[in-house]
Amino acid sequence: MTTRLIGEPVERREDARLLTGRARFIDDIRLPEMLHAAVLRSPHARARFTRIDAGAALALPGVHAVITHEDLGSANTPMPLLNEDPGFIHPRTHQALAPGQVRFVGEAVALVVADSRYLAEDALDLIEVDYAPEAAAVDLVAAAEPGAPLVHDDTNSNVACRTADNTGDIESAFAAADFVLREELRPERGAAQPMETRGVVARHDASLEQITIWDTTQAPVSARGVIADKLGMPEAAVTVIAPDVGGGFGVKIFLVYPEELLVPFAARLLGRPVKWIEDRREHFIGSNHERLMVHRIEVAATKDGSVLGIRDHFL
């Protein structure tokens, strides 16, 4: 028996719950003895740091932990590369906490866990980081040129991947053209603004060596695999639950944001549930943006308007 969906109305099952206020979002989750986290983020586009002094923050009553990259240990290895293009020259991904160098404004440097979010944010202001700012790559075209400031010091170029896709005889097409139209198109960066920002709640059961994570992810199964690997736990011991998600637009499908690892790490470390909810400013600087692209396009055409071929070199 075949069920046709295209062109047929499909009954929505979630509407009654959402419209009557019975939806459950991440911030609706309340667990006994729950602690709250806040993230210290880089104010610099590129800088090195050799010292993080969290003494004053830890001395604040109600602060339970300040976690840095050194505390994470092997959990702070780079996240998986989600692209198998053979053209990769310098494949690089982010880490949960910056290991001595920040590469963008908003990069996570430390996590504070306290009795309340208010207290955690107060503690952020007490952490001292000795930043040494450096020249940053801020323009896409300029960053791809030789001699540009490097995002990753262990590379010789900011070009991560060179890949080509060819169909047909493009040289013959341009040779036969009556004219060639050239354009540069720049689809600009954008930032998704879902009504609900990102959030994570985690609870660790030491007796069973299991952890439950409530996450505003659009890909809970994939997130579970990465989190389990980073925490050194079997996948069967990690449960990731995506409750009602208040909008995503792709920003919540990225695999895996730092907080999705940091919050369960803190919950296991402290033996108490931990919650983190992104505020709106954090969403602008701590969540992925849609990328800027620069397309340099050439169109080979005849006088009657037939398109013979297209070249597109894009960053």
Side-chain angles (χ1 to χ4, degrees):
M1 179 178 179
T2 302
T3 301
R4 292 192 304 112
L5 295 178
I6 298 175
E8 294 184 0
V10 178
E11 183 179 355
R12 291 169 55 91
R13 300 182 178 182
E14 67 271 30
D15 289 359
R17 188 181 74 257
L18 293 171
L19 294 173
T20 56
R22 291 182 287 118
R24 194 183 195 208
F25 300 93
I26 291 290
D27 204 23
D28 295 322
I29 297 172
R30 306 284 191 271
L31 300 175
E33 298 187 311
M34 187 163 67
L35 301 173
H36 298 264
V39 181
L40 182 67
R41 301 187 182 277
S42 167
H44 302 287
R46 183 168 180 251
R48 296 182 183 277
F49 62 91
T50 56
R51 185 182 73 98
I52 300 178
D53 187 348
L58 287 167
L60 194 64
V63 172
H64 294 260
V66 177
I67 298 170
T68 68
H69 71 95
E70 293 178 344
D71 301 308
L72 287 179
S74 60
N76 202 32
T77 53
M79 296 296 181
L81 183 70
L82 304 179
N83 191 319
E84 298 180 354
D85 193 300
F88 267 101
I89 309 165
H90 304 301
R92 296 293 183 275
T93 58
H94 65 288
Q95 294 172 241
L97 290 174
Q101 184 180 24
V102 292
R103 297 183 173 90
F104 61 91
V105 172
E107 185 168 6
V109 175
L111 183 81
V112 172
V113 185
D115 287 338
S116 70
R117 171 68 183 232
Y118 298 101
L119 186 57
E121 291 196 1
D122 287 344
L124 294 181
D125 293 334
L126 299 178
I127 300 174
E128 297 181 9
V129 183
D130 289 341
Y131 289 110
E134 299 177 318
V138 295
D139 178 83
L140 179 61
V141 176
E145 297 296 328
L150 293 174
V151 177
H152 296 277
D153 291 345
D154 60 343
T155 68
N156 57 15
S157 169
N158 290 322
V159 177
C161 179
R162 293 186 185 275
T163 187
D165 185 17
N166 300 292
T167 302
D169 187 349
I170 193 68
E171 298 302 331
S172 296
F174 273 80
D178 293 318
F179 67 91
V180 175
L181 173 68
R182 294 178 174 86
E183 292 281 356
E184 181 174 285
L185 306 178
R186 297 176 66 97
E188 291 293 336
R189 289 173 63 180
Q193 292 300 312
M195 291 179 67
E196 180 198 30
T197 54
R198 295 187 300 111
V200 184
V201 174
R203 179 178 61 196
H204 181 252
D205 188 326
S207 63
L208 297 175
E209 274 300 308
Q210 295 179 350
I211 194 162
T212 302
I213 303 163
W214 291 265
D215 190 358
T216 52
T217 180
Q218 294 172 267
V221 175
S222 301
R224 179 184 66 170
V226 176
I227 295 168
D229 177 65
K230 297 297 181 186
L231 294 179
M233 299 176 67
E235 268 193 59
V238 177
T239 300
V240 176
I241 300 169
D244 292 313
V245 176
F249 315 111
V251 76
K252 296 175 182 175
I253 203 169
F254 183 76
L255 191 72
V256 159
Y257 281 102
E259 301 82 9
E260 293 175 87
L261 174 61
L262 294 172
V263 172
F265 181 92
R268 185 175 67 174
L269 176 70
L270 298 172
R272 291 175 61 177
V274 176
K275 173 192 278 191
W276 168 79
I277 300 295
E278 183 182 56
D279 65 30
R280 187 56 62 181
R281 179 177 182 275
E282 278 187 298
H283 186 78
F284 275 109
I285 64 174
S287 292
N288 281 5
H289 289 188
E290 178 65 36
R291 59 204 173 277
L292 163 70
M293 291 182 282
V294 178
H295 291 260
R296 293 170 178 148
I297 298 177
E298 296 178 293
V299 180
T302 61
K303 293 178 180 178
D304 65 3
S306 297
V307 174
L308 303 180
I310 298 176
R311 284 195 190 106
D312 181 11
H313 178 269
F314 71 94
L315 299 172

